[in-house]
Amino acid sequence: MRALRFSRSIPRYAAAAVAGRVVPGFGARVGPLQLAEVDEPELPGPDWRRIRPRLAGICGSDLSTIDGKSSRYFEPIVSFPFIPGHEIVADAEDGGRVVVEPVLNCFPRGIDPPCSFCAAGLTGSCQNLRLGRLEPGLQTGYCADTGGGWSTALVAHESQLHPVPDDMTDEAAVMVEPAACAVHAARRPVAAEPPSSVVVLGAGTVGLCTIAAVRRHLRPETLVASAKHPEQRKLAVELGADIVVEPGEVRRAVRRLSRSPMVGDSVGDGAQLVFDC
């Protein structure tokens, strides 16, 4: 099959880091990511399925990796070579479309009993990302055994697969993973009453999803968002932000909103919740 494969190469990664600083995105041309013909990954067990991507997103973490900007702390929970792509809508071999819940927690890894986090349903905080029947990997798209969405086929554990409704387009379905991250954050229990104000830092894909999720689930009196670009500012307002400011103006905006003095790096007591996206 054809895939965009990221290999472990310190010289190429260093070259990508230098090139990416000169021209953003140029690191991909000289870095470890290459189009290759590779074997389809083997099924790790009977509870695994082979799927074939229809669309796969490009996450900020993917961009940082291929442009030589990701932190080396990440390396212990990655196995090489890996095929990026964890925002995926795919065709299942038994019919129908699915989206992938990418975290490779205790259940895909066949670890029994699961860690305390997985047992409590907090699989995103799994403590066993290097153990079990799989090579190390935080999630699909960073594990050598599973493959990833930037290919024509990969494998996923049945617990990772969620059916897509017939009336949902592929373009909407591929947004399920980043949107789910935002909804999860917005629905975490914080207080019985809606917060008086919420600040969302950043208006990229996850930031915009968070704005929509906060407006829908938290219903704050005032939602402040920071955005760099005109189109981001426009979308932030459409998705529920009441106040949209430049990134450097967040503290000033919150100080005005809360009528409180700014002390050091604090944004003031009036900002009850801050989402850094």
Side-chain angles (χ1 to χ4, degrees), residues 40-259:
E40 291 188 4
E42 298 291 331
L43 294 171
D47 47 356
W48 284 72
R49 304 289 179 264
R50 195 175 307 279
I51 59 175
R52 302 191 181 278
R54 298 169 68 97
L55 288 177
I58 303 173
C59 180
S61 60
D62 298 324
L63 291 176
S64 294
T65 298
I66 65 178
D67 213 24
K69 296 177 181 177
S70 59
S71 172
R72 290 295 300 275
Y73 89 91
F74 196 47
E75 195 164 309
I77 51 174
V78 168
S79 49
F80 297 92
F82 62 82
I83 297 168
H86 56 271
E87 301 167 355
I88 306 164
V89 55
D91 289 317
E93 288 202 326
D94 55 357
R97 294 177 300 154
V98 292
V99 292
V100 177
E101 185 175 346
V103 176
L104 295 170
N105 55 69
C106 288
F107 302 109
R109 293 183 172 278
I111 296 173
D112 189 19
C115 71
S116 59
F117 289 96
C118 288
L122 302 173
T123 53
S125 299
C126 178
Q127 301 297 289
N128 292 320
L129 301 176
R130 295 176 51 84
L131 305 176
R133 59 186 170 187
L134 300 176
E135 288 292 314
L138 168 67
Q139 57 189 8
T140 298
Y142 290 102
C143 176
D145 285 343
T146 64
W150 297 6
S151 67
T152 55
L154 68 151
V155 296
H157 188 259
E158 57 188 17
S159 67
Q160 295 180 274
L161 301 177
H162 302 274
V164 176
D166 291 339
D167 59 353
M168 179 178 282
T169 65
D170 289 342
E171 290 77 10
V174 80
M175 287 293 297
V176 165
E177 194 274 341
C181 294
V183 171
H184 173 75
R187 293 186 65 181
R188 292 182 64 183
V190 290
E193 297 295 326
S196 63
S197 55
V198 171
V199 179
V200 177
L201 303 178
T205 299
V206 173
L208 292 169
C209 288
T210 302
I211 291 168
V214 166
R215 175 54 63 200
R216 172 69 179 271
H217 295 286
L218 283 179
R219 301 183 297 280
E221 294 176 17
T222 306
L223 199 168
V224 181
S226 66
K228 291 182 180 179
H229 308 294
E231 185 64 19
Q232 290 178 333
R233 292 192 283 272
K234 174 177 177 289
L235 289 170
V237 171
E238 291 178 359
L239 291 170
D242 301 298
I243 300 172
V244 183
V245 297
E246 296 282 344
E249 294 297 314
V250 173
R251 284 181 288 170
R252 186 187 302 273
V254 174
R255 184 178 60 182
R256 290 173 178 171
L257 175 65
S258 61
R259 299 178 181 178

Side-chain angles (χ1 to χ4, degrees), residues 14 16-25 27 67-69:
V18 172
R21 289 189 182 95
V22 175
V23 180
D67 213 24
K69 296 177 181 177

